[in-house]
Amino acid sequence: EKDSEYYTLNYEDRTVTVNYDKMKTNNNANTDAWFHVEKKLMITASSNIEDHRIVLIRPLAQINVGTKDFDTAVHAGVTVTESAVKIKGAARTLDLFTGNGLDPIDTEVELSRSPIPYSDNKMMLTVNLKYDENGNYIRDENGNIETDEYEYMSICYILPYATQSTQEGYPRYTSLVEVEVKFFEDGNEAQINEIIRKSSVPVCRNHRTN
């Protein structure tokens, strides 16, 4: 979308710039995005373009935070209603022809506190956890992938800085970022003491990091 406040499209350079300052808040699903580029598609009078398949992919990395202790915290008198996030290592520019994230940002991207994801309908974060010795998903007797569920605490989208390097055990173009997540109670200006800080967090375009 050419006029999106979150992204600026440059046709000449074939790039998209991410406007992190416009995103402002954490847990903003409207910042999610997809793209597809056709490099050598020729349309003629005889072309049947209805048969041409377009596959959209997410150039962004989705970073999720979940917990198993939400109800335990509530019983202890702590009800988390909002979360904020800081991320260091994101990229600012998307090269549309390669899909790579360029121009790494030296400073932290800060997304301010906002209601935790899906707080209105209690949607859970489903994570695939169980693998066999060959790295394949373990399935139950009905053929369904065995998963685990967490209460959603934070979700955000960033453009990962993609290089040709590969992190062992992860898809190509995986990069590492630093993540800090803070939590808040409704009406309480001070943050809850529990803060998540993680370095060397792997992120990759079109993938979820949980």
Side-chain angles (χ1 to χ4, degrees):
E1 184 178 343
K2 183 177 184 302
D3 298 322
S4 168
E5 64 175 326
Y6 305 123
Y7 305 101
T8 301
L9 177 61
N10 186 316
Y11 284 107
E12 290 186 5
D13 294 341
R14 301 179 299 199
T15 61
V16 173
T17 300
V18 183
N19 305 319
Y20 291 107
D21 57 328
K22 300 290 186 180
M23 293 181 177
K24 296 181 181 178
T25 63
N26 193 29
N27 307 316
N28 186 353
N30 293 326
T31 61
D32 198 2
W34 295 266
F35 84 110
H36 177 89
V37 174
E38 284 292 335
K39 299 179 182 179
K40 296 181 180 180
L41 176 64
M42 179 175 291
I43 305 230
T44 66
S46 60
S47 298
N48 185 357
I49 59 174
E50 292 182 357
D51 292 336
H52 189 75
R53 186 167 180 256
I54 299 295
V55 179
L56 296 175
I57 68 167
R58 176 185 283 138
L60 311 168
Q62 178 180 324
I63 301 177
N64 301 314
V65 177
T67 182
K68 284 285 193 179
D69 299 324
F70 190 89
D71 291 336
T72 301
V74 171
H75 292 316
V78 178
T79 301
V80 176
T81 58
E82 297 176 305
S83 61
V85 69
K86 293 182 182 179
I87 298 171
K88 187 173 183 180
R92 188 179 301 280
T93 304
L94 169 66
D95 183 331
L96 289 170
F97 265 40
T98 65
N100 289 343
L102 310 174
D103 303 331
I105 303 172
D106 293 332
T107 58
E108 292 177 320
V109 171
E110 295 190 40
L111 302 176
S112 62
R113 59 188 284 184
S114 65
I116 60 177
Y118 311 110
S119 55
D120 52 347
N121 59 13
K122 198 64 174 177
M123 182 175 176
M124 303 295 284
L125 170 61
T126 300
V127 179
N128 297 322
L129 288 178
K130 301 178 181 179
Y131 304 86
D132 61 21
E133 63 275 9
N134 297 317
N136 301 314
Y137 294 133
I138 296 177
R139 299 177 182 270
D140 61 23
E141 57 185 12
N142 297 318
N144 299 315
I145 297 174
E146 294 189 12
T147 61
D148 204 359
E149 289 189 331
Y150 296 77
E151 288 89 0
Y152 249 119
M153 300 299 288
S154 175
I155 182 174
C156 68
Y157 300 94
I158 65 159
L159 180 64
Y161 175 61
T163 66
Q164 293 289 339
S165 62
T166 301
Q167 301 294 328
E168 185 177 354
Y170 293 97
R172 191 180 180 194
Y173 301 125
T174 298
S175 59
L176 302 177
V177 298
E178 297 178 16
V179 179
E180 177 183 288
V181 187
K182 297 180 180 179
F183 305 103
F184 302 84
E185 290 188 273
D186 189 28
N188 189 350
E189 291 300 319
Q191 70 189 40
I192 296 172
N193 289 334
E194 185 65 31
I195 300 175
I196 295 177
R197 290 190 180 94
K198 296 286 185 181
S199 59
S200 300
V201 176
V203 291
C204 184
R205 70 187 186 202
N206 208 39
H207 278 75
R208 303 194 318 170
T209 296
N210 302 312

